[in-house]
Amino acid sequence: MKVLRQNDFWLGVGLSVFSIWYLVVAGQIRRGATHPVDVGPRALPLIYGSLLLILSIALIIRTILEARKTAEEGESAGLPLKSVVTAGLAVAYAWLIPRLGFVLSSTALLLCTTRVIANKKYNYWLLSLTYLVLSLALSFIFSRWFYVQFPEPLLDALGV
């Protein structure tokens, strides 16, 4: 239950940031109506952004109040280790892509994430092969059909 509350908190923070950005962009829409009483094209986006901001702040406040109540009851509210490790893996993946390329970095990310999140033991050789084939297939599909080239410095160094 405490993980759900932490997710609610971070969802509230993210939605608050998004709604503030949305309100700034919506505020830049030119007024279409010439009469002060007429509703222009920016009225509805401003209403939606304001409602989103109000609800996201309410979500943050509710989550904080529940966390205080939980703390008073003696239950700890620490961040789960799997979440921290998974976030670290995502950062490492972003750092590894330009160095190892999409295929090897994606294979390593999928394998490490499976190792962190899974509760049971797997045949990691089979998983490695599966993830390698999946990464190669995605790289092929994106390069041939969508014309999106992923960085592959090791293949470029080998002349492949």
Side-chain angles (χ1 to χ4, degrees), residues 54-139:
I54 290 168
L55 291 174
S56 60
I57 290 172
L59 181 62
I60 292 170
I61 291 171
R62 188 195 79 185
T63 307
I64 290 172
L65 292 176
E66 285 182 4
R68 284 185 183 168
K69 181 180 175 185
T70 303
E72 290 172 0
E73 294 172 357
E75 187 179 326
S76 68
L79 193 62
L81 181 62
K82 288 182 180 183
S83 299
V84 174
V85 173
T86 303
L89 287 172
V91 171
Y93 177 67
W95 184 79
L96 282 175
I97 281 183
R99 289 159 182 80
L100 294 180
F102 173 77
V103 173
L104 292 177
S105 298
S106 297
T107 303
L109 172 74
L110 291 170
L111 189 63
C112 292
T113 304
T114 302
R115 178 72 176 115
V116 168
I117 293 176
N119 289 330
K120 65 179 190 173
K121 300 290 182 187
Y122 288 101
N123 180 351
Y124 288 104
W125 289 108
L126 181 61
L127 275 179
S128 299
L129 181 63
T130 303
Y131 293 151
L132 181 64
V133 169
L134 175 67
S135 299
L136 283 168
L138 286 173
S139 180

Side-chain angles (χ1 to χ4, degrees), residues 11-67:
L11 178 65
V13 170
L15 286 174
S16 295
V17 170
F18 174 75
S19 62
I20 290 169
W21 171 80
Y22 186 84
L23 285 169
V24 168
V25 172
Q28 295 174 357
I29 297 173
R30 290 184 301 143
R31 299 185 94 181
T34 56
H35 193 273
V37 181
D38 291 340
V39 177
R42 73 182 195 177
L44 198 58
L46 288 175
I47 291 170
Y48 287 156
S50 300
L51 286 173
L52 182 61
L53 183 60
I54 290 168
L55 291 174
S56 60
I57 290 172
L59 181 62
I60 292 170
I61 291 171
R62 188 195 79 185
T63 307
I64 290 172
L65 292 176
E66 285 182 4

